[in-house]
Amino acid sequence: MGHKFTLVLSREITDEEGELLKEAGFSGATFATDTLPTDADVTVTKVDFDDTAAPSLAEAIETALETVKKVPDLTVPGLTVPAVPQPPTEDGDVLVGEVVAETAAK
């Protein structure tokens, strides 16, 4: 399982721009046409990633954002990262924390 996230590009890209992005690092990404979440009249390209090469989600996203800059006049107005469920611990549902003794109010 890799680092999953989605970029919403500022416009619909051409086939040539898609090829440029694939050659620059988006080879495993899935491209789809969508609309801008804030304006349904604007057609954009959505790019879904499942990056298994980057050591962290942050690095995967940073690399993708840098790659988008290779296409002139293209920006990223949207980023979506799905929640990643954490496995339960031996002690129950608390992942991090400590018990604090209650003190009487004065």
Side-chain angles (χ1 to χ4, degrees):
M1 182 171 130
H3 306 293
K4 295 183 181 193
F5 61 99
T6 301
L7 296 182
V8 176
L9 305 179
S10 57
R11 59 178 170 77
E12 187 174 12
I13 61 172
T14 65
D15 291 339
E16 293 81 21
E17 291 169 333
E19 288 304 315
L20 181 111
L21 290 172
K22 287 178 184 177
E23 290 171 7
F26 284 15
S27 60
T30 304
F31 294 80
T33 301
D34 203 350
T35 57
L36 195 61
T38 56
D39 187 348
D41 293 330
V42 178
T43 303
V44 296
T45 297
K46 180 174 78 168
V47 188
D48 293 319
F49 294 87
D50 188 357
D51 186 328
T52 56
S56 70
L57 175 61
E59 288 182 61
I61 293 170
E62 286 175 15
T63 299
L65 293 172
E66 284 300 313
T67 302
V68 169
K69 292 178 182 179
K70 296 182 184 296
V71 177
D73 303 319
L74 188 63
T75 60
V76 179
L79 166 67
T80 305
V81 180
V84 178
Q86 298 295 317
T89 64
E90 292 177 13
D91 298 333
D93 294 331
V94 177
L95 296 175
V96 177
E98 62 183 66
V99 176
V100 177
E102 288 187 43
T103 57
K106 292 183 180 184

